[in-house]
Amino acid sequence: MLWTMPLAFPLMTAIQSMCARIGRVTGKGLAANIKTAFPSSILYSVVLLLLVANVLNIAADVAGDGGKWRS
């Protein structure tokens, strides 16, 4: 998995930097800015995709940790 870091880290850094700059200028969070710029259906789709991604990530973490708790 370490081979993904040279690609993933600059992309994660760029996204965090853009979100911070947008938030500093507008005084609103990312979801509020998406809501003002796009229809609400786009916002709800983005939030739903984020929710699904987080649930799958938690499930993968739990499944990965499940083996080391068995005796």
Side-chain angles (χ1 to χ4, degrees), residues 2 9 11 24-25 27 32-33 40-41 47-48 56 58 69:
L2 190 59
F9 184 72
L11 295 173
R24 183 173 46 187
V25 169
N33 283 312
S40 60
S41 61
V47 170
L48 181 66
L56 290 176
I58 291 169
W69 296 108

Side-chain angles (χ1 to χ4, degrees), residues 2-55:
L2 190 59
W3 65 270
T4 63
M5 283 307 295
L7 178 67
F9 184 72
L11 295 173
M12 290 187 294
T13 305
I15 294 295
Q16 284 291 110
S17 176
M18 286 189 307
C19 289
R21 290 170 192 241
I22 290 170
R24 183 173 46 187
V25 169
T26 63
K28 296 187 283 187
L30 188 59
N33 283 312
I34 291 172
K35 187 176 180 181
T36 60
F38 296 101
S40 60
S41 61
I42 300 285
L43 174 64
Y44 292 135
S45 300
V46 168
V47 170
L48 181 66
L49 287 173
L50 181 64
L51 179 70
V52 169
N54 283 337
V55 168

